[in-house]
Amino acid sequence: MAGKPKLHYFNGRGRMECIRWLLAAAGVEFEEKFIEQPEDLDKLKNDGSLMFQQVPMVEIDGMKLVQTRAILNYVATKYNLYGKDMKERALIDMYSEGVADLGDMIMLLPLCPPDQKDAKIAQIKEKTTNCYLPAFEKVLKSHGQDYLVGNKLSKADIHLVELLYYVEELDPSLLANFPLLKGLKTRVSNLPAVKKFLQPGSQRKPPMDEKKLEEAKRIFRIK
C-alpha cells in the first residue's frame, strides 16, 4: 500500500494551498514536511529533489512532483476530478487558469509596497466583480447544473470555491450579486471531505499575516 502524499512547503498558503484543497476535497490524507529554515530548502535542492530548484514539491506514488499545475493535474486525474473526455478537460483547464489568474493577484497582495496597496486592492476588486465572477456566474447560468463542467465535481469547482473564500476575506460584499456562485460555494463546502477541511484544526492555512510574510521571506531569501 502506497504511503500518504508528502507535501514539502513552508507552513503557509502560498502555491501549495490549492494542492492541499484538492487533496482534501478528494478525501486524501496527506503529510506535510514544513520548510522552516533556508537550510531546509537548500537540502532539498542539493539532494536533487527539486527539478527546478523550487517548491511546492509533492512526493506521491514514488515520484517527486514539482510545478503546481502539474501536481494539480496529476491529483485531479488520479481521483477522477478531471472530466470524462478531452473537451471537458479543456473547459476544466480554461476555468482553472482563470481562477489562477485572479488567485495569484490576491496571493501576491501581501508583497505589494504599502503605498501601492490601496490601488492594487481596488484593481483586484474591479477585476473580481467586472470580469472573473461574472464569467463563472454565466457558466453556471448557461447550463443550470450544480457544477461547472459535466454536472460533476471537478478540480475547477474546488479551485473556484477556494478562490471565493479568498474573495470573501478581501471583501464579503463582492459576492453579493452572484447567487449561483454563492450556491456553488455552499454546495462544495458541504461535501463531507471539504466540510472536514474547513473545520478548525485542519491542514488548511490561515490568511498571510505580517509574521508569516516575514517567515516566508526569510526561508526563501526574498529581500
Side-chain angles (χ1 to χ4, degrees), residues 102 105 119-134 170 174:
L102 181 57
M105 291 174 70
K120 179 61 75 174
I121 290 172
Q123 181 193 16
I124 290 172
K125 287 183 177 182
E126 190 273 331
K127 287 272 192 187
T128 298
T129 53
N130 293 338
C131 176
Y132 291 98
L133 296 194
L170 191 67
L174 295 175

Side-chain angles (χ1 to χ4, degrees), residues 3 17 51 68 75 97 105 109 127-128 147 182 217:
E17 191 70 355
M51 183 175 186
T68 304
V75 170
E97 290 298 318
M105 291 174 70
L109 191 57
K127 287 272 192 187
T128 298
Y147 297 109
K182 287 197 286 188
K217 284 182 174 179

Side-chain angles (χ1 to χ4, degrees), residues 100-111:
D101 285 349
L102 181 57
D104 279 355
M105 291 174 70
I106 294 173
M107 181 182 68
L108 295 171
L109 191 57
L111 293 171

Side-chain angles (χ1 to χ4, degrees), residues 85-99:
D85 56 30
M86 283 174 61
K87 285 187 175 180
E88 286 196 356
R89 283 194 292 277
L91 291 175
I92 289 166
D93 284 340
M94 185 167 70
Y95 301 157
S96 297
E97 290 298 318
V99 167

Side-chain angles (χ1 to χ4, degrees), residues 29-191:
E29 292 186 3
F30 56 87
E31 298 174 1
E32 298 193 85
K33 175 71 174 163
F34 292 126
I35 297 167
E36 297 174 330
Q37 305 294 336
E39 293 74 22
D40 298 336
L41 187 57
D42 292 340
K43 184 175 184 301
L44 287 173
K45 290 178 180 179
N46 295 334
D47 71 12
S49 293
L50 305 179
M51 183 175 186
F52 302 113
Q53 305 290 296
Q54 60 193 19
V55 288
M57 188 268 279
V58 174
E59 294 185 64
I60 184 170
D61 295 341
M63 299 181 289
K64 293 182 177 180
L65 292 181
V66 295
Q67 298 298 108
T68 304
R69 285 168 177 75
I71 297 165
L72 292 170
N73 291 348
Y74 182 81
V75 170
T77 303
K78 182 178 171 76
Y79 295 105
N80 200 23
L81 294 165
Y82 212 176
K84 70 176 188 297
D85 56 30
M86 283 174 61
K87 285 187 175 180
E88 286 196 356
R89 283 194 292 277
L91 291 175
I92 289 166
D93 284 340
M94 185 167 70
Y95 301 157
S96 297
E97 290 298 318
V99 167
D101 285 349
L102 181 57
D104 279 355
M105 291 174 70
I106 294 173
M107 181 182 68
L108 295 171
L109 191 57
L111 293 171
C112 186
D115 61 329
Q116 299 172 26
K117 189 157 280 190
D118 286 349
K120 179 61 75 174
I121 290 172
Q123 181 193 16
I124 290 172
K125 287 183 177 182
E126 190 273 331
K127 287 272 192 187
T128 298
T129 53
N130 293 338
C131 176
Y132 291 98
L133 296 194
F136 290 119
E137 183 84 1
K138 185 177 178 182
V139 171
L140 291 172
K141 190 173 184 180
S142 71
H143 54 49
Q145 297 173 338
D146 285 347
Y147 297 109
L148 287 167
V149 179
N151 205 23
K152 183 176 182 293
L153 182 71
S154 75
K155 80 187 200 83
D157 301 295
I158 297 158
H159 296 332
L160 178 54
V161 168
E162 179 191 359
L163 176 68
L164 295 178
Y165 275 95
Y166 301 155
V167 167
E168 276 195 332
E169 287 173 1
L170 191 67
D171 182 348
S173 72
L174 295 175
L175 274 176
N177 295 322
F178 303 99
L180 299 180
L181 289 179
K182 287 197 286 188
L184 178 70
K185 178 172 174 281
T186 300
R187 196 173 304 117
V188 172
S189 298
N190 282 327
L191 296 171

